[in-house]
Every structure is written in C-alpha cells, then in structure tokens.
Amino acid sequence: MKLQRKNRLRAVALGAIAVSGALVLTACGSDDNSGGDTSTGGATKAAGNIKCDGKGQLLASGSTAQKNAMDLWIKNFTAACKDIQVNYKGTGSGAGIQEFLQGKTAFAGSDSPLKPEEVTKSKEVVKGGQGINLPMVGGPIAIGYHLSGVDNLVLDADTLAKIFDGKIEKWNDPEIAKLNKDAKLPDTKIQAFHRSDESGTTDNFTKYLKAAADKSWPYAPAKAWPAKNGQAADGSAGVSSQVKQTEGAISYFELSYATANSIKTVKLNTGAAAPVEATSDNASKAIAEAKVVGSGADLALKLNYTTKAEGAYPITLVTYEIVGDKGNKPETLAATKSFLTYVASEDGQSVLKGLGYAPLPAEIAQKVRANVANLS
C-alpha cells in the first residue's frame, strides 16, 4: 500500500529483543517509506540461524502495512538462502487475497483475516486443505494531521467519526475545542483523506469507529471506504503524502508513514486517565487483549477496539500471512515454510521494532511457529 518516499530510518540491529508484547506495521512496493539501511547487523546475524529449504522463486502479495517488514525480511533471508528469490508485491490486502485465491501466489499478506466465503474458495486452490490466517506483525494505525501551530491534538472516537463522515468541517469546531482547551485551533477547513483502494487498514479503522463511536458512525466496517465524504488517495503512501502537503489535512495510516514523513499524530481520548499516543508499545497494550477466534490451524484474532486500559492505543491492526494448511504446491512448499519459519522466529521478529513495528506476543508467536512447521 504505498507509493514514493524513501526516507532513511536507522540501521536495524538484530539483537535479542524479547518476543513479548504487541505489534505494529508499515508499507509496500514503491510505497517503501523505510529506505532504511537495514544492512548493518540485520542480515549478518540472521543468516547464521536461517534454515534454507527449497529453491527458485517465491511469489507473494498483499498488505502494504507490512511491506517495510517484508523488505527487510526478504533482504535477510535471501542473503542467507542464495537459491531462493522472494518477490513480495504490496498490492493491498484485497488484491493479495484475490491473487492467492487465483493460485498465483504461495501466500498473501492481509490486514484482515479471510472471510468465510474466501475460506471456502481457498479450498479450490489448496487441494485437500484451506487457507489459514497466521498473524505475523501488527501495530498502531496512526491518525496523522497537518495543522500549523497545533502540535498536541487530542481527539476521541466520536469526533473522529464525525470528521471522517463530514459532520465536523472546521478545525475550531466546538467539539474539537472541548478536547483541546489549551490549543489555538484555526478556522481552517478540514481535509479528510481516505484510501481509494480496498485496504485492511481501512477495514480496521472503520471497525474501530463502529465499535467505539457507533452512534456517530453509521457504516459497517469494510475494506472499501464506506462514507461518501472526504478525498481519496491510493495506498498509505498516497494518503500520508496528501497529509504532508495539505494544510488542514487528516488521514489514517501505519505509524511508520508518520514517522518517516515527520507527520504529527493525534492522541486519543479513550476514557483512560490521559490521552494515548500512537506508539508500538501502546498498541501492544491493546493487542494484548486480542482473542484467538480461528479454529484448528487458523489463528485469526479479534481485537478490542474499545479498551480503556491505561496507555492502550486502540486503533490497531494485525497483518496475517495467508497460506494453505495442507495441499500447498510442492514446488514452493519448502521455500514457503523456510521463509515463514524465519519471519516468525525470534530473529525475524526482533528486527520489527526498528521499523516502527513490534514483535508478536510470545504465546501467539509460539503457535504461529508450530503451525508453520506443520504446513504440508
């Protein structure tokens, strides 16, 4: 889900970071906003622990939220496994699932789990098995804004719902002013941007609005933007670029886009003692409340978008790798297992925080590793 912009993030050291806590996200394809020099340390240490099985080209596509993580994982993995080429395209969650269901890819990345009808269709491609959801990375969906003179903006679910539905049109609206008593809010028109493509980020953001502001958000959660108001741009890179260059703009995108582009982010009034900032650690506190709702090898999670826990940032998403539990294509099975084994490992997870992500909670990570080992 991204576009241009290549900003340098710090080199990611592959040290031993505890695999507990939560998750976070990032970008895709030409949308790569990391541009990070991940060569220092990352590939070197990981290479010694990566088991290389299979060979040839491994194709995958989908979520742009995880694209920066995928870029680093692929860099480290292929540095160790010279006989395997991994090609991941950040086409968006909807397109990634579509390609997987058409048998074009070995696995898909999606910020939302498969729907029941998609699981049914997956059985046509995964002979003798079906598509399953394996959580691999997660984190906060930041609300980025561009408003000169306002550096500490607080909003809540209700005001966000009204802003993105066109019901609040000016930045000095009384409802916003009530949450920001010390801010000098200008009489500037709000420019709300949303995704033009089908997106798991949109799906999770609208799930949050529906759960936390039901009276102000009349639309069902969806990957396609449901409201008729606002302006559209393609991918997280597209909406974040619009926010960066447009006075009065606001939109939703993965935290890494805000960080890489120096975009200010909203603090959320969740009902906790203090407004909550969009950070990896704060998202972790919310994701820790997620429940596994998948059955068997499927590890689909249900997130708690209405948490009021202190320091818990509720607008979060988890990105899944969608793969067949059994009946995978024999020519790519070994390479798929080898690659997913690495990304789910402590080495693979430990590089995430340096990109604005966070590693999987330990309990979930253990289940993911076991299920990857059982792919057939």
Side-chain angles (χ1 to χ4, degrees):
M1 333 162 177
K2 316 336 169 191
L3 261 104
Q4 46 217 344
R5 204 74 197 146
K6 298 203 172 186
N7 293 345
R8 291 247 147 206
L9 292 176
R10 292 168 302 185
V12 179
L14 235 172
I17 295 178
V19 183
S20 63
L23 323 118
V24 184
L25 329 166
T26 330
C28 290
S30 57
D31 297 342
D32 177 14
N33 65 28
S34 74
D37 181 4
T38 55
S39 61
T40 305
T44 305
K45 182 170 184 265
N49 299 318
I50 294 174
K51 182 181 179 183
C52 303
D53 292 322
K55 59 183 178 179
Q57 190 172 54
L58 189 61
L59 300 179
S61 64
S63 165
T64 58
Q66 68 171 1
K67 182 58 166 58
N68 288 343
M70 270 290 169
D71 286 348
L72 179 55
W73 282 334
I74 290 170
K75 181 181 180 115
N76 288 349
F77 180 79
T78 54
C81 303
K82 305 294 186 182
D83 292 333
I84 304 174
Q85 298 82 46
V86 184
N87 185 350
Y88 181 86
K89 294 181 180 179
T91 55
S93 297
I97 289 175
Q98 188 78 11
E99 289 194 325
F100 176 75
L101 295 179
Q102 292 171 348
K104 295 180 179 179
T105 53
F107 67 90
S110 176
D111 306 329
S112 299
L114 290 171
K115 298 176 181 177
E117 60 269 25
E118 291 171 336
V119 173
T120 299
K121 185 161 181 61
S122 73
K123 296 178 181 180
E124 300 173 10
V125 177
V126 185
K127 302 301 182 182
Q130 66 180 47
I132 58 172
N133 305 285
L134 298 178
M136 206 64 76
V137 65
I141 300 173
I143 307 299
Y145 69 98
H146 183 160
L147 195 60
S148 299
V150 180
D151 297 323
N152 189 23
L153 183 66
V154 176
L155 297 174
D156 58 16
D158 196 60
T159 53
L160 278 172
K162 291 176 181 178
I163 285 171
F164 280 92
D165 196 26
K167 300 297 191 298
I168 293 179
E169 299 180 332
K170 294 291 187 70
W171 278 111
N172 62 349
D173 185 280
E175 292 193 46
I176 298 177
K178 185 169 62 176
L179 294 167
N180 298 273
K181 295 179 180 179
D182 296 329
K184 294 182 179 180
L185 298 169
D187 185 31
T188 302
K189 180 176 174 58
I190 295 174
Q191 308 282 349
F193 287 89
H194 59 263
R195 293 279 293 274
S196 61
D197 55 320
E198 288 199 6
S199 160
T201 310
T202 295
D203 191 31
N204 283 275
F205 180 52
T206 54
K207 282 178 179 176
Y208 162 75
L209 293 177
K210 189 63 179 175
D214 182 48
K215 292 181 180 179
S216 298
W217 188 254
Y219 313 100
K223 291 179 182 177
W225 183 251
K228 296 180 180 179
N229 299 283
Q231 304 172 65
D234 185 60
S236 290
V239 291
S240 60
S241 176
Q242 290 296 330
V243 171
K244 185 174 179 65
Q245 66 190 23
T246 306
E247 180 67 28
I250 187 171
S251 190
Y252 56 93
F253 36 80
E254 294 74 38
L255 178 61
S256 62
Y257 288 92
T259 302
N261 294 287
S262 300
I263 295 172
K264 294 177 286 189
T265 60
V266 168
K267 291 182 179 178
L268 290 179
N269 181 338
T270 64
V276 185
E277 187 176 357
T279 68
S280 298
D281 289 341
N282 289 346
S284 296
K285 293 175 184 177
I287 294 171
E289 299 183 24
K291 306 296 183 185
V292 176
V293 293
S295 59
D298 189 281
L299 296 177
L301 301 175
K302 182 177 182 180
L303 299 171
N304 181 7
Y305 296 102
T306 58
T307 179
K308 293 179 174 60
E310 296 301 323
Y313 183 84
I315 315 180
T316 59
L317 66 79
V318 172
T319 295
Y320 302 90
E321 310 315 328
I322 294 171
V323 65
D325 56 355
K326 52 186 176 180
N328 290 283
K329 295 177 181 178
E331 60 269 26
T332 56
L333 175 60
T336 299
K337 291 182 68 172
S338 183
F339 179 68
L340 294 182
T341 295
Y342 162 61
V343 302
S345 71
E346 289 193 28
D347 283 340
Q349 290 291 304
S350 69
V351 302
L352 295 177
K353 232 173 180 181
L355 295 178
Y357 297 83
L360 289 169
E363 183 179 351
I364 296 296
Q366 291 171 2
K367 292 179 180 179
V368 171
R369 292 166 193 155
N371 288 359
V372 170
N374 289 330
L375 296 179
S376 62

